[in-house]
Amino acid sequence: MPTLEEIARLAGVSRSTVSRVVNNDPKVNAVTRQRILDVIKSINFQPNAAARSLAGGKTRILGLVIPRGVAAIFTDPYFPLLVQGVSSACNAHDYSVMLWLDEPDYERRTVRKILNNELLDGVILASTFLEDPLLDALAEKKLPFVLIGRHPSYLNASYIDVDNVNGAFQIVSHLIRLGYRRIAAITGQASMVVTMDRLEGYKSALKGAGLAVDHDLIVESDFSEDGGYLSMQRLIPRHPDAVFAASDALAAGALRALRDARLRVPDDISVVGFDDMPFAAHTDPPLTTVRQPINRVGSLAVETLIDLVENPDTPPRRIIFPTELVIRNSCGTVQAPQTAREA
Amino acid sequence: MPTLEEIARLAGVSRSTVSRVVNNDPKVNAVTRQRILDVIKSINFQPNAAARSLAGGKTRILGLVIPRGVAAIFTDPYFPLLVQGVSSACNAHDYSVMLWLDEPDYERRTVRKILNNELLDGVILASTFLEDPLLDALAEKKLPFVLIGRHPSYLNASYIDVDNVNGAFQIVSHLIRLGYRRIAAITGQASMVVTMDRLEGYKSALKGAGLAVDHDLIVESDFSEDGGYLSMQRLIPRHPDAVFAASDALAAGALRALRDARLRVPDDISVVGFDDMPFAAHTDPPLTTVRQPINRVGSLAVETLIDLVENPDTPPRRIIFPTELVIRNSCGTVQAPQTAREA
DNA sequence: CTGAAAGCGCTTACAG
DNA sequence: CTGAAAGCGCTTACAG
């Protein structure tokens, strides 16, 4: 492995100058710079990341932390899409990604390892729960971080979010416009911010239409297909005429439960989801859902974090992407639009 | 951030001794060791990874490389499951994972970055294509690596594989036993080893039963749901009585194509998959498929790689996990078992 | 614009 | 069993 020292010798300059060229320091003579660049290219020099890090420089490594308990990791491609966005943005900016899928002892070792690992320039924390020891620890350190999904206790941190409240509001309003009145909801874990947001959108759509919120029609689940199945089974006896599932995976589970119960969608009951995962166009029937730019969220999180890392004086950046209603066939129209039952 | 030096001062020993304790060097007095461990715990010391790396030690970081062109990354949880296996094994052994999802310019920058990044103790390369510049480069370097899925050109490297040939043989033989004779195949990319293996199993099952291999019944696809859909549409006019899809995602696409064509499964045609993904139990009808221990493959790859890293004299390790036939409802029985049409 | 020099926090022979 | 010392490959004031 060639070192700075060797480049310096070959180019007839000092180690310092080579270092400056490598780090794009503007105050290097153009001719000298070119000569050095040529040598670097010719012997395929790559600076040693550990040495750069030790010497106080940056590592160009970003951490991506995905908490556990996110059962959905197996039933929908949300995280693959997110990871892909993060990974490609990192590649584009010549950064690397270190991945942490949290294990049970989340609090203990992992937190410490992540924070003390001087190898990370910054951290992206995905899918935050209300109680998050890592987030708390992160906030106390000087390590730059960006949240995927804002957190109510850290609203002044940088985050990239999606307008979950409005997305839910729009899709539930759509159901109401179609004439549905007993609209159930299957949510994710109550302790997740995204769950709260989507539930809030659901409730405000009902209220906006003068419908009461019926807590018997709201079932807490976990964003998984199985969770959707079980939740739908619990809802069937309560005779909703439509179901707002807080994710496509939940909606897919609900569809399966309805199929098993010999109920037709959308004839007997409508089902809508959230996320617009690739499979949502392929369920039977295809799912009406809310599209969010997951991949883009991942890459923008990276770009934001890099900005924070490279320009420590950058103020926090907070971004909320709009969502988009995607109408397919899982929500028909009610034959005879009725008037709202409740004031 | 506390350093070795501080621990040494607090424990009244030299920096060297603390280092030995941290690295489990046996030749340290038990009492001294305990005293040092207490100090380490009390001030929550974590050795600086960059410094360890620079000083010639190991980094305890493993790279996981997933090539692109793996469309299935969005339609089935194979990679999430694999990544989870890798991640949890790394956590268990106190290693970290650096993730590389390959971008278009795979050959150029990524390869160099991975190999020259002195930060990696070793690399796990998943899902190899026949032509793989990274694999070639890896083989030339001294960097330890483990393949997920063996590669015909590197059979003496370490790899963790699954018995794809036999898995395919078993499931196709099962179809034959049920009486099917025109058994089609939808494969993954021809350039992937896993595709070749599963196709070989399919062919040898046919041959073993005295059936001819009909190339009109074999369609190359890409392991994605969409690919399965399109391939099935091409196969329908050729009237197969059963279809062996080389992955559950392909099978799911095939089921959708059949549904759209108003063909009943398994009454009109049978469909079987491969992988036993979580969703395979939930398709309509539930999928007969081949189970492989993906998660376990990931964690064993990590353990093998760590072994290679920590004991450079370890001989390569090659493991092929058995697969298991999982019978569900997507392959009924043919009413009147016919004799084979072809010799 | 450039170089000499200190230093980042560890590991590891080398002595003892 | 333990310590003093060199060295890993860089970055970064500090001089000039």
Side-chain angles (χ1 to χ4, degrees), chain A residues 216-261:
Chain A
D216 278 351
L217 291 180
I218 301 176
V219 178
E220 178 183 346
S221 186
D222 62 0
F223 284 126
S224 74
E225 205 267 357
D226 280 331
Y229 184 87
L230 297 172
S231 301
M232 191 68 240
Q233 286 189 319
R234 288 174 53 194
L235 283 170
I236 289 174
R238 302 176 196 168
H239 303 293
D241 54 15
V243 178
F244 163 59
S247 80
D248 289 346
L250 286 171
L255 288 178
R256 181 163 60 92
L258 291 168
R259 192 164 68 226
D260 285 358

Side-chain angles (χ1 to χ4, degrees), chain A residues 134-154:
Chain A
L134 178 55
L135 179 49
D136 297 335
L138 224 36
E140 281 186 21
K141 287 212 66 163
K142 74 293 163 189
L143 196 65
F145 69 97
V146 171
L147 302 178
I148 305 254
R150 72 196 194 299
H151 186 107
S153 310
Y154 296 95

Side-chain angles (χ1 to χ4, degrees), chain B residues 100-156:
Chain B
W100 309 79
L101 292 189
D102 265 330
E103 289 297 304
D105 56 358
Y106 186 29
E107 321 219 358
R108 282 180 248 147
R109 293 203 321 215
T110 311
V111 174
R112 277 177 32 199
K113 280 202 308 202
I114 293 174
L115 294 183
N116 294 327
N117 199 319
E118 298 286 276
L119 240 36
L120 297 182
D121 281 352
V123 172
I124 294 173
L125 181 53
S127 179
T128 46
F129 286 81
L130 246 21
E131 301 278 319
D132 193 326
L134 177 55
L135 179 49
D136 297 335
L138 224 36
E140 282 186 20
K141 286 212 67 163
K142 74 293 161 191
L143 196 63
F145 69 97
V146 172
L147 302 177
I148 305 254
R150 71 196 194 296
H151 186 108
S153 309
Y154 295 95
L155 288 176
N156 49 357

Side-chain angles (χ1 to χ4, degrees), chain B residues 150-216:
Chain B
R150 71 196 194 296
H151 186 108
S153 309
Y154 295 95
L155 288 176
N156 49 357
S158 288
Y159 59 76
I160 314 293
D161 206 347
V162 139
D163 197 343
N164 288 303
V165 177
N166 188 51
F169 178 87
Q170 293 299 340
I171 200 165
V172 174
S173 295
H174 178 68
L175 290 174
I176 295 169
R177 260 195 314 276
L178 291 175
Y180 298 105
R181 289 300 175 265
R182 289 185 58 76
I183 303 174
I186 302 177
T187 78
Q189 293 92 325
S191 55
M192 295 184 73
V193 179
V194 60
T195 295
M196 301 171 55
D197 284 353
R198 293 181 186 174
L199 190 57
E200 181 185 331
Y202 159 84
K203 288 179 178 172
S204 67
L206 293 183
K207 288 175 188 159
L211 297 173
V213 172
D214 179 350
H215 287 279
D216 279 349

Side-chain angles (χ1 to χ4, degrees), chain B residues 4 15 19-20 23 45 52 55:
Chain B
L4 263 197
R15 182 145 110 272
S19 176
R20 290 188 185 100
N23 293 295
F45 169 73
R52 293 182 99 166

Side-chain angles (χ1 to χ4, degrees), chain B residues 218-258:
Chain B
I218 301 177
V219 178
E220 178 183 346
S221 186
D222 63 358
F223 285 125
S224 74
E225 206 268 359
D226 281 330
Y229 184 87
L230 297 171
S231 301
M232 192 66 241
Q233 286 189 320
R234 289 174 53 195
L235 284 170
I236 289 174
R238 302 176 197 169
H239 302 294
D241 54 15
V243 179
F244 163 59
S247 79
D248 289 345
L250 287 171
L255 288 178
R256 180 162 60 92
L258 292 169

